[in-house]
Amino acid sequence: MESQIKQIHQQLVSKQVRCTDLIQQKLDLLKNNAHNTVNSLLDTLALNLAAKVDDKIANGETIGLLEGIPFGIKDVYMLQGSYTTASSNLLKNYKSAYTATAIQKLLDAGAIPIVKENCDSFGHGSSSENTIFGAVKNATDTNLVAGGSSGGSAVNVAKDFTVFSIGGDTGGSVRQPAGYNNIYGLKPSYGRISRYGLMAYASSTDCVGPLAKSIEDIRIVLNIMSGKDAKDQTSYASAEINEDSILNSDSIKTVGYFKNFIESDAIDVQVKADFLATIEKIKAKGITVKALDFFESETLVSTYYTLAMAETASNLSRLDGTNYGNRIEAENLKETYAVTRSENFSEETKRRIVGGNQVLSQGFSDEIYLKGLAIRNQISENFNNDFNEVDIILSPVTPSTPPKIGDSLKDPHAMYLSDAYTVGFSLGQLPTLTIPQGTATGLQITAAKKNDELVLKFANFLKDTI
């Protein structure tokens, strides 16, 4: 199967390329790139690790498949000794004291981190414009947004600045930028990969997710990062996904899609036409296609943001400048907290904290927050019923194409609605993969929880079908 990881591995083993030369080439591309994807380069660490790989090869030692492969890290993951800013003013000088479990597993496998990548501050956004480092620019057209919040990660992969990158997906933050930049992006089943060391946005939907240019590279990286972690009690042990197993999609007999997604007034005419054309190609292969009923997009978005804002208000309450962060002194302790948070949090982050505190406050929690939890349970039940009828659910990634840089900041509500087709699968904690086919911003493939392998199977099927 097509795989940059395997191709580079073979080049290293056969001594066609030195690891230090490969890493330096990628660092140079990142340093000079015009898409604003870099928060900080990990050049010293990366070159030291590359030299060790070169020494192993020179000594005739065997290297693992990921040894020497350069990758990027969204700047919300801890990497000991590196700046971890979350693209925020509050943490612009913060250095990680430890390393996230998912990143450590990649390091243990020999992969080389080369960059901390630009993103929406604390993951708050769908365009990667809400960042102190300036907006990330789309890989194809620099006038357009890169998508968010893992925009820098998606663009680095799309432009070949990294072989793969590790993003974070809460409500679509891997899948949507993958679609905007025509690459693969996976949100695994919730709990398949440990969240330890990922700065929490909404803990009940946060997922560690890989972005890459091929299904095989997604599979390789997913296998390395997966597994039970004592530091994350929501994580679970999972079987390795075999390369040969995802080449056979015979078990997929029925595919579903949500009628209201396609019949919505919000969907772009061309996105709708392309999606329906894909459905016809699937039918022509002998697969049964069913139109399914689901919650309205507005209900999904409002439910997701009610719960996500509540969780982020709670999670960010610890950031007050006392233990870490950019503290601003005032007349007294209370004022110090207020000024530190007011001056250092972005407008979008403050909007989400205020919204979250409101839905959790006395008089509102029963009416809004508990209602959101109840609807979430209904969404999960809906998915359980759907996957009794179909093997896979197919959907557009977004209702429309990427907006111009600046437009989303003028209309936050429109930015929230751009997540209409991604947040439902997050609330259901389901494995969902963006593929760069089918519409201008790709397609989403979703399976039942803990059935990540089926998602990759169908992606391979569609690669040869549409």
Side-chain angles (χ1 to χ4, degrees):
M1 290 174 65
E2 178 187 345
S3 166
Q4 279 195 53
I5 291 173
K6 290 181 177 178
Q7 181 184 11
I8 292 172
H9 173 72
Q10 192 55 46
Q11 290 172 342
L12 291 171
V13 169
S14 61
K15 301 181 182 179
Q16 294 176 49
V17 63
R18 293 174 68 248
C19 190
T20 46
D21 292 339
L22 170 67
I23 297 300
Q24 188 61 61
Q25 178 192 41
K26 298 295 187 184
L27 289 169
D28 290 343
L29 288 170
L30 285 163
K31 188 175 182 179
N32 298 312
N33 94 82
H35 297 267
N36 210 29
T37 62
V38 177
N39 285 2
S40 59
L41 288 178
L42 305 171
D43 43 2
T44 302
L45 171 64
L47 289 169
N48 286 341
L49 291 173
K52 292 178 181 178
V53 174
D54 283 335
D55 287 344
K56 285 184 72 172
I57 294 169
N59 293 331
E61 297 178 47
T62 301
I63 64 168
L65 184 58
L66 276 181
E67 280 195 73
I69 305 297
F71 74 101
I73 305 171
K74 181 179 179 179
D75 200 8
V76 291
Y77 288 95
M78 301 298 168
L79 175 64
Q80 189 173 27
S82 74
Y83 286 105
T84 303
T85 72
S87 294
S88 71
N89 202 49
L90 187 69
L91 297 177
K92 64 184 178 182
N93 296 314
Y94 175 71
K95 282 193 174 183
S96 308
Y98 64 99
T99 298
T101 296
I103 304 304
Q104 188 60 56
K105 287 188 172 188
L106 292 169
L107 294 175
D108 292 344
I112 298 180
I114 60 173
V115 59
K116 283 295 197 70
E117 297 165 322
N118 200 356
C119 57
D120 284 302
S121 181
F122 295 106
H124 298 159
S126 304
S127 63
S128 292
E129 295 172 280
N130 177 38
T131 159
I132 62 168
F133 298 102
V136 182
K137 300 175 182 180
N138 189 282
T140 304
D141 183 345
T142 55
N143 294 307
L144 304 179
V145 302
S149 59
S150 308
S153 303
V155 172
N156 281 341
V157 169
K159 299 297 291 184
D160 290 317
F161 301 153
T162 61
V163 175
F164 66 91
S165 285
I166 305 304
D169 192 306
T170 305
S173 294
V174 162
R175 291 163 286 154
Q176 186 244 43
Y180 278 4
N181 294 282
N182 302 305
I183 61 170
Y184 292 91
L186 176 68
K187 183 195 85 66
S189 294
Y190 179 80
R192 185 183 180 99
I193 302 174
S194 170
R195 292 177 293 111
Y196 179 74
L198 164 64
M199 284 191 199
Y201 166 14
S203 304
S204 68
T205 55
D206 285 344
C207 288
V208 179
L211 300 107
K213 277 192 164 181
S214 72
I215 301 162
E216 178 63 0
D217 286 348
I218 292 285
R219 183 193 70 84
I220 292 167
V221 176
L222 175 65
N223 278 338
I224 293 294
M225 293 193 297
S226 297
K228 178 72 176 172
D229 179 17
K231 297 171 183 173
D232 177 5
Q233 293 187 2
T234 65
S235 64
Y236 62 87
S238 56
E240 185 169 299
I241 298 174
N242 185 271
E243 179 181 356
D244 292 336
S245 69
I246 65 171
L247 294 176
N248 186 346
S249 60
D250 291 347
S251 61
I252 300 170
K253 306 293 185 185
T254 310
V255 171
Y257 71 93
F258 295 130
K259 287 184 292 187
N260 60 303
F261 280 12
I262 306 307
E263 294 168 1
S264 168
D265 293 336
I267 193 170
D268 180 86
V269 173
Q270 192 60 53
V271 171
K272 178 178 180 177
D274 290 344
F275 181 81
L276 291 175
T278 297
I279 292 296
E280 292 306 313
K281 290 177 182 177
I282 291 170
K283 287 180 180 177
K285 290 289 186 178
I287 291 178
T288 301
V289 175
K290 290 186 177 182
L292 304 169
D293 293 316
F294 199 44
F295 292 77
E296 292 299 320
S297 299
E298 291 81 0
T299 302
L300 295 171
V301 171
S302 59
T303 301
Y304 167 76
Y305 276 103
T306 293
L307 300 178
M309 287 183 179
E311 291 186 37
T312 202
S314 176
N315 282 325
L316 292 185
S317 63
R318 75 194 75 176
L319 297 181
D320 55 21
T322 301
N323 293 316
Y324 34 68
N326 185 28
R327 182 184 178 96
I328 300 174
E329 296 289 347
E331 292 180 9
N332 55 55
L333 185 61
K334 187 176 180 180
E335 273 300 303
T336 295
Y337 288 162
V339 172
T340 295
R341 289 167 66 82
S342 296
E343 294 297 320
N344 284 312
F345 283 138
S346 69
E347 291 304 309
E348 183 58 38
T349 295
K350 285 187 278 189
R351 185 180 293 117
R352 297 189 187 203
I353 291 172
V354 169
N357 283 329
Q358 181 172 0
V359 303
L360 290 173
S361 63
Q362 189 173 4
F364 286 97
S365 59
D366 288 355
E367 183 181 344
I368 303 175
Y369 180 66
L370 294 182
K371 185 177 180 181
L373 290 176
I375 295 174
R376 177 180 185 150
N377 290 337
Q378 292 173 35
I379 290 168
S380 295
E381 186 60 34
N382 199 109
F383 281 130
N384 290 337
N385 294 334
D386 287 339
F387 286 116
N388 286 329
E389 292 188 41
V390 302
D391 301 308
I392 287 288
I393 293 173
L394 194 66
S395 58
V397 179
T398 61
S400 56
T401 53
K404 289 184 178 179
I405 289 174
D407 288 356
S408 296
L409 296 180
K410 297 173 190 172
D411 189 355
H413 182 64
M415 180 182 69
Y416 298 159
L417 289 176
S418 72
D419 296 333
Y421 296 168
T422 56
V423 294
F425 303 122
S426 295
L427 292 169
Q429 301 185 337
L430 306 177
T432 307
L433 173 72
T434 288
I435 65 169
Q437 294 172 273
T439 78
T441 57
L443 295 170
Q444 268 184 123
I445 302 169
T446 306
K449 190 175 181 183
K450 298 188 178 181
N451 209 347
D452 303 58
E453 182 175 305
L454 201 65
V455 167
L456 299 182
K457 281 178 182 280
F458 197 63
N460 269 318
F461 168 79
L462 289 183
K463 185 164 66 72
D464 300 325
T465 302
I466 58 174

